[in-house]
Amino acid sequence: KDEKKVFKVIEHCDSYVDYTLELISSDLANEWLAKKYIDKWLAWKYIDVATEQSLKETFSLRNEISATEKRIYEKESEVREATRAQEQLRSNITALEHNQKDAAKYVKSLGVEQDKLDGLRLDIKTSQSRKKDLERQLSTTIDTMKMSKKLSK
């Protein structure tokens, strides 16, 4: 008896390696494109110097955005680790309710972890703001770029 079933498949990737490869390949593609084509286009007078600068600026901004995204990803990973460490410290404190001296050591460590967590969250917020600024700059650069040039017959 043949049965047809429909399954919804969602792929989720938490692998930092995959993210890094994507980031590296993006940066390499931009560098390759700039060296292989933009310089030739300029030499062949398909584009002018201003357009060349605009294109290189867009690649530079895109690379900065990629680096900022990587930083955010790394900091979010550190936040997850710090959160797990805090959970472990809390369970240790709970287990040592009757031993105030040892529990005090864990409370102090918990405070240090909280300070670290606050710093990481602030860094993430700053990086996200930086990413938005870079994306605005990129959008403005693309919007103001003039890609038309009259070619001689």
Side-chain angles (χ1 to χ4, degrees):
K1 188 178 194 184
D2 291 334
E3 291 183 28
K4 290 185 178 181
K5 293 185 179 182
V6 178
F7 294 96
K8 183 177 182 179
V9 177
I10 299 173
E11 185 176 348
H12 180 73
C13 180
D14 287 328
S15 173
Y16 178 73
V17 173
D18 293 342
Y19 182 83
T20 303
L21 290 175
E22 180 183 314
L23 180 66
I24 290 170
S25 63
S26 172
D27 292 346
L28 290 176
N30 287 340
E31 286 178 32
W32 177 81
L33 216 160
K35 288 179 183 167
K36 176 122 176 141
Y37 288 105
I38 295 176
D39 295 337
K40 285 183 182 180
W41 292 341
L42 184 63
W44 295 335
K45 298 187 179 181
Y46 289 169
I47 60 173
D48 57 10
V49 175
T51 304
E52 175 200 22
Q53 293 303 319
S54 294
L55 287 171
K56 287 185 177 181
E57 184 180 352
T58 60
F59 292 144
S60 174
L61 287 168
R62 184 61 201 127
N63 288 340
E64 283 186 65
I65 290 169
S66 293
T68 304
E69 287 172 341
K70 179 182 174 187
R71 180 178 175 82
I72 291 168
Y73 181 83
E74 289 170 347
K75 294 300 175 182
E76 286 174 343
S77 178
E78 288 180 43
V79 165
R80 286 189 294 275
E81 289 174 24
T83 302
R84 281 188 217 115
Q86 277 191 333
E87 289 170 3
Q88 183 63 42
L89 287 170
R90 285 189 182 98
S91 69
N92 290 347
I93 291 169
T94 303
L96 293 171
E97 279 181 19
H98 303 294
N99 190 340
Q100 296 297 329
K101 187 176 181 180
D102 289 336
K105 292 177 190 176
Y106 286 110
V107 170
K108 185 177 180 181
S109 295
L110 188 63
V112 170
E113 284 295 320
Q114 185 61 45
D115 291 343
K116 179 181 175 183
L117 199 56
D118 292 342
L120 288 169
R121 287 184 176 142
L122 179 62
D123 195 16
I124 289 170
K125 189 175 180 178
T126 303
S127 294
Q128 287 171 336
S129 175
R130 172 79 175 137
K131 180 183 169 204
K132 285 181 184 178
D133 290 343
L134 289 168
E135 287 171 340
R136 266 189 243 108
Q137 282 180 308
L138 180 62
S139 180
T140 302
T141 301
I142 291 170
D143 290 344
T144 59
M145 189 184 313
K146 295 183 178 160
M147 294 291 289
S148 62
K149 177 163 174 55
K150 291 186 179 182
L151 301 174
S152 57
K153 293 182 181 181

